[in-house]
Amino acid sequence: MRSKIVAGNWKMNKNLAETEALLTELSAKLPDTTAEVMVAPNFVNLVTAKQSLESSTIEVIAQNMHFAESGAYTGETSGDMLLDIGIDTVIIGHSERRAYFGETDEILEKKVKAALAKNMRVMFCFGEELTDRKSDNHFNVVGGQIKNALFSLDASAWSKIVLAYEPVWAIGTGETASAEQAQEMHAFIRKTITDGYDAAVANNVSILYGGSVKPANAAEIFSKPDVDGGLIGGAALVADDFAAIIKAI
Ligand code: PEP
């Protein structure tokens, strides 16, 4: 179901005490909203985050999962392990996973399918590099990332997919895609899904923008018709900033 979503990806930041403190502050400052609000703390702090947010509407999600059921995968976490602690939404395909941990479209397709097989919700990230945009290849790259990892899914599976378009050149750089660039790409993504499936599937999927979203630019980006919210990195680590971004939606 298409809904407005603001999600914070904390990456490898915040220890246990800092996680509790940030969630307490965020809960106190959370604006009234009909949007879904999510946070993705580090794995070792997920249980504590769940406990801290027991009586909150903020959802705790995971930054990653492995595609295997269990076994000899040192350092990895399975879907069942997440479900066991009450987490049923997972980010898959973040550009840092692709760049630093060798996650290819093929691996990501397996991860998406493994999560969906557990009835989990997937926030699937993708986006072009600066060289792709400069060489005017950004639509091809983004279209390919979506098709390669997601187009073997049945249409019905798309109700569990959230997309996050994150141009790599805008992540953590302070450089944001303009609201027009975001809208242009989000419209292209929706058309790609319409062509591959149909308009109903395309119109039901939430497409988030990610890449240096801040309180100062959130409202303009979120005002675009095909932008259904944001995946927020740096600004999600500051309660006032994250709250302001939630307010902007
Ligand atoms: C991200 O890593 O998903 C992200 C959008 O980071 P930032 O907001 O810091 O650019």
Side-chain angles (χ1 to χ4, degrees):
M1 234 271 293
R2 185 163 166 185
S3 55
K4 302 278 185 197
I5 299 171
V6 179
N9 173 14
W10 292 12
K11 310 188 185 188
M12 198 171 71
N13 293 297
K14 304 289 177 191
N15 64 22
L16 183 62
E18 291 164 345
T19 297
E20 285 181 303
L22 178 53
L23 291 176
T24 302
E25 192 184 350
L26 184 61
S27 298
K29 293 179 172 171
L30 190 70
D32 252 355
T33 181
T34 53
E36 296 182 66
V37 178
M38 306 173 179
V39 291
N42 176 267
F43 273 97
V44 295
N45 296 322
L46 288 176
V47 172
T48 299
K50 281 290 291 181
Q51 286 162 354
S52 302
L53 295 174
E54 219 164 32
S55 56
S56 167
T57 53
I58 303 172
E59 185 187 352
V60 180
I61 70 174
Q63 297 178 17
N64 180 33
M65 65 172 257
H66 198 270
F67 53 76
E69 282 285 316
S70 63
Y73 298 99
T74 301
E76 292 292 328
T77 304
S78 71
D80 278 340
M81 289 168 178
L82 294 173
L83 288 170
D84 190 44
I85 59 167
I87 290 176
D88 59 10
T89 299
V90 58
I91 297 172
I92 290 177
H94 191 279
S95 63
E96 287 148 17
R97 299 292 319 170
R98 294 175 190 254
Y100 307 141
F101 303 97
E103 296 195 355
T104 59
D105 290 344
E106 206 180 356
I107 291 171
L108 296 173
E109 182 185 34
K110 281 173 144 178
K111 289 189 172 203
V112 169
K113 287 187 171 165
L116 294 176
K118 302 279 174 197
N119 208 24
M120 296 174 79
R121 198 174 182 196
V122 170
M123 185 177 291
F124 184 75
C125 304
F126 52 90
E128 82 281 1
E129 309 259 353
L130 187 58
T131 47
D132 302 320
R133 187 160 276 267
K134 282 193 166 155
S135 57
D136 214 18
N137 200 30
H138 45 299
F139 293 116
N140 275 342
V141 168
V142 165
Q145 288 170 326
I146 295 170
K147 286 177 196 163
N148 292 343
L150 302 180
F151 269 29
S152 59
L153 300 178
D154 290 339
S156 61
W158 278 78
S159 62
K160 292 292 218 174
I161 300 281
V162 172
L163 299 178
Y165 166 59
E166 300 203 301
V168 177
W169 49 272
I171 294 183
T173 59
E175 191 160 338
T176 321
S178 66
E180 289 69 33
Q181 284 173 320
Q183 169 57 29
E184 183 186 36
M185 184 58 88
H186 284 221
F188 168 79
I189 293 163
R190 231 178 271 287
K191 178 165 185 327
T192 302
I193 300 166
T194 303
D195 293 346
Y197 291 86
D198 57 39
V201 172
N203 289 329
N204 266 326
V205 68
S206 297
I207 308 177
L208 316 184
Y209 168 79
S212 298
V213 176
K214 306 275 181 253
N217 59 23
E220 196 191 352
I221 293 171
F222 294 162
S223 72
K224 297 297 177 190
D226 285 299
V227 178
D228 301 308
L231 179 55
I232 320 298
L237 299 173
V238 179
D240 284 326
D241 288 356
F242 196 54
I245 291 168
I246 294 164
K247 205 166 175 197
I249 206 155

